[in-house]
Amino acid sequence: MYAAERQLFLTEMLERHGRVAVNEVAHHLKVSTETIRRDLTVLERAGTARRVHGGAVLSSAYSRIEPSLSQRTSERPDLKARIAAAALAFLPPAGGSVLLDGGSTVAHLVAALPADLRLTVLTHSVAIAHQLLGHEGIALHTIGGRVRDVTGVAVGQRTVETLASTRADVAFLGTNGITADHGFSTPDSDEAAVKRALVGSARTRVVLADSTKFGPHQVFSFADLDQVTVVVTDDGIRPQDRAMLHEAGVDVVVA
């Protein structure tokens, strides 16, 4: 298990129970207690956990921090599964290539991939790469870099440079906000840089976003509206938001 996967597991345990014990988690994951202590130190620096004797408790500041992948994946799962199923229509033909972002709805897309799919897939998400392990028809490539503790995706100069030399048929991306003046946005500058590179590395750019993402914006924009090919969303989208996308030349698919 990768460090990012352990840290996602620890975050989920903290969210469920409010605290974790080093010895119990180390035994469950079959790793050393020192490994778990290092992971908890990372989560403490990120503001997710507060170290206490024998383990850690959920930080009181955590509610102000960007939600983890495990949190976001568990929110509105039926709706996200519908969006993911509709997005399957944009997969390239057999032998094509796909870039996968690390969003929670993209994780639902991965879960819905047909068993007989024959594609080359590139991703900077540890969790999504793990989901794809064992899929016989997929040639899986991971894009390296520094892994963010909260979202479990690789970011940084190495990640962006790798994507700059990549050209795929389709990129599937998530977003935290969509507005007319700020485009598609996310709360972290490093993730915005990688998402920007994903947009620039694919012929077709498909954003998976439920209707709650329209209206609010995050600090860092990674694409203008007209840089995206299609947005797949749900039937909660407002008429003015659909019109906003159409005016920018973006196709809208309602799941």
Side-chain angles (χ1 to χ4, degrees):
M1 181 179 283
Y2 294 104
E5 292 178 294
R6 291 195 307 271
Q7 290 154 21
L8 283 172
F9 174 82
L10 286 165
T11 300
E12 186 173 356
M13 294 298 291
L14 286 164
E15 291 166 358
R16 288 181 180 177
H17 307 294
R19 64 181 298 121
V20 294
V22 168
N23 290 337
E24 291 179 7
V25 176
H27 177 74
H28 178 76
L29 297 181
K30 297 180 173 59
V31 297
S32 68
T33 55
E34 185 57 35
T35 294
I36 298 303
R37 290 191 184 95
R38 285 197 298 268
D39 288 334
L40 290 174
T41 297
V42 169
L43 294 181
E44 185 172 46
R45 289 172 181 165
T48 305
R50 179 170 61 84
R51 296 291 303 278
V52 297
H53 180 70
V57 296
L58 188 67
S59 169
S60 59
Y62 181 65
S63 61
R64 300 192 295 273
I65 301 214
E66 180 183 356
S68 68
L69 177 62
S70 60
Q71 271 187 303
R72 289 179 286 124
T73 304
S74 64
E75 293 173 352
R76 301 180 293 278
D78 293 342
L79 183 148
K80 291 182 179 182
R82 290 202 334 257
I83 293 172
L88 292 175
F90 297 95
L91 288 170
S97 54
V98 169
L99 288 167
L100 293 178
D101 189 18
S104 58
T105 312
V106 177
H108 283 275
L109 172 72
V110 172
L113 290 175
D116 60 350
L117 202 61
R118 296 291 182 270
L119 291 176
T120 296
V121 175
L122 302 90
T123 184
H124 66 126
S125 166
V126 173
I128 284 177
H130 188 265
Q131 275 184 271
L132 289 167
L133 286 175
H135 196 300
E136 294 183 0
I138 288 178
L140 176 63
H141 298 260
T142 56
I143 302 169
R146 175 181 63 83
V147 176
R148 283 195 73 214
D149 306 315
V150 176
T151 54
V153 297
V155 296
Q157 183 177 356
R158 178 185 172 192
T159 314
V160 172
E161 288 177 351
T162 300
L163 285 165
S165 61
T166 300
R167 189 66 170 169
D169 295 315
V170 185
F172 292 97
L173 303 102
T175 187
N176 298 81
I178 308 172
T179 60
D181 60 343
H182 200 49
F184 300 88
S185 58
T186 191
D188 182 79
S189 60
D190 288 334
E191 288 210 22
V194 174
K195 287 175 180 286
R196 199 171 298 120
L198 286 165
V199 169
S201 298
R203 295 180 179 86
T204 300
R205 286 81 59 194
V206 182
V207 171
L208 283 61
D210 67 71
S211 56
T212 65
K213 303 297 174 62
F214 291 90
H217 72 271
Q218 300 296 329
V219 178
F220 301 101
S221 174
F222 64 85
D224 294 333
L225 294 182
D226 61 5
Q227 291 179 287
V228 165
T229 311
V230 60
V231 170
V232 185
T233 187
D234 61 81
D235 55 9
I237 184 173
R238 300 178 302 173
Q240 58 265 41
D241 292 325
R242 187 187 292 216
M244 171 187 72
L245 292 175
H246 283 156
E247 185 176 346
V250 182
D251 291 334
V252 179
V253 173
V254 176

